[in-house]
Amino acid sequence: MGNISADTLKSAIRDVPDFPKPGIVFKDITPILKNPALFRGAIDLLAAHHKGQSIAKIAVIDARGFLFGSALALVMNAGLVPIRKKGKLPFKTFEESYALEYGTATLSVHVDAFEKNEPVLLVDDLLATGGTAAASAHLIERAGGRVVGIDFLIELAFLKGREKLGTYPLFAPIVF
Ligand code: AMP
């Protein structure tokens, strides 16, 4: 483990200006995904941070959180729970709406996704304003899970998303 540094991963991330709308600089992680050494390096960095920690489930956020979180779940021998955009999960769900810059978004999770009080790690690709992760953490708790950490590959620190995530232990190896 650990022969790819966070700096190496950081330099592989591609900035795409004005996507999906003017003024947003999109952090494109596809150059990491398409390179097996970098993809594995990213997963190893996250897994190393949780070495020895007891994690029953990894909850992953639609859609780019799925990519890193599912690989991490295999490596960590944890179960996988998708947190999906409203209307995608087939069984009974809890839903949580949160404010976006314009309008709102709604995320959902299956009501039986977690055992009561089991330790859950929440994973997404990137922390921006924190609204998505805060809503997801709340969903996990409503469904009976206990959020013991939130991992992002990337944190956009200037957006201060951490402030929305209270006292949850956060880990983000790449910071812009
Ligand atoms: P937020 O709720 O503001 O923290 O937004 C986080 C979600 O939006 C994550 O699922 C990210 O994938 C996505 N996101 C927000 N801003 C960016 C950005 N600049 N580049 C790539 N993804 C972003």
Side-chain angles (χ1 to χ4, degrees), residues 14 16 19-20 24-29 61-65 85 98-101 124-134 152 154 156 158-159 161 164-165:
R14 173 167 57 192
V16 182
F19 183 89
I24 305 284
V25 180
F26 193 86
K27 297 295 184 188
D28 179 13
I29 46 85
I61 303 179
D62 202 347
R64 283 179 301 279
K85 288 164 188 158
Y98 62 103
L100 293 176
E101 201 178 344
D124 201 1
D125 68 325
L126 181 143
L127 171 62
T129 66
T132 306
F152 306 91
I154 304 161
L156 302 183
F158 55 91
L159 293 175
K164 251 193 220 125
L165 295 172

Side-chain angles (χ1 to χ4, degrees), residues 70-127:
S70 61
L72 186 61
L74 277 182
V75 166
M76 290 177 59
N77 199 28
L80 185 68
V81 172
I83 293 178
R84 298 218 56 186
K85 288 164 188 158
K86 181 185 164 82
K88 299 288 186 186
L89 287 170
F91 187 58
K92 209 177 157 208
T93 58
F94 292 115
E95 290 185 353
E96 187 87 19
S97 295
Y98 62 103
L100 293 176
E101 201 178 344
Y102 303 110
T104 64
T106 303
L107 292 173
S108 63
V109 73
H110 275 156
V111 295
D112 63 350
F114 305 104
E115 304 301 321
K116 189 90 202 123
N117 214 35
E118 69 179 352
V120 179
L121 176 66
L122 176 61
V123 175
D124 201 1
D125 68 325
L126 181 143
L127 171 62

Side-chain angles (χ1 to χ4, degrees), residues 131-147:
T132 306
S136 299
H138 194 213
L139 270 178
I140 293 165
E141 288 164 354
R142 283 174 62 200
R146 178 164 48 93
V147 179

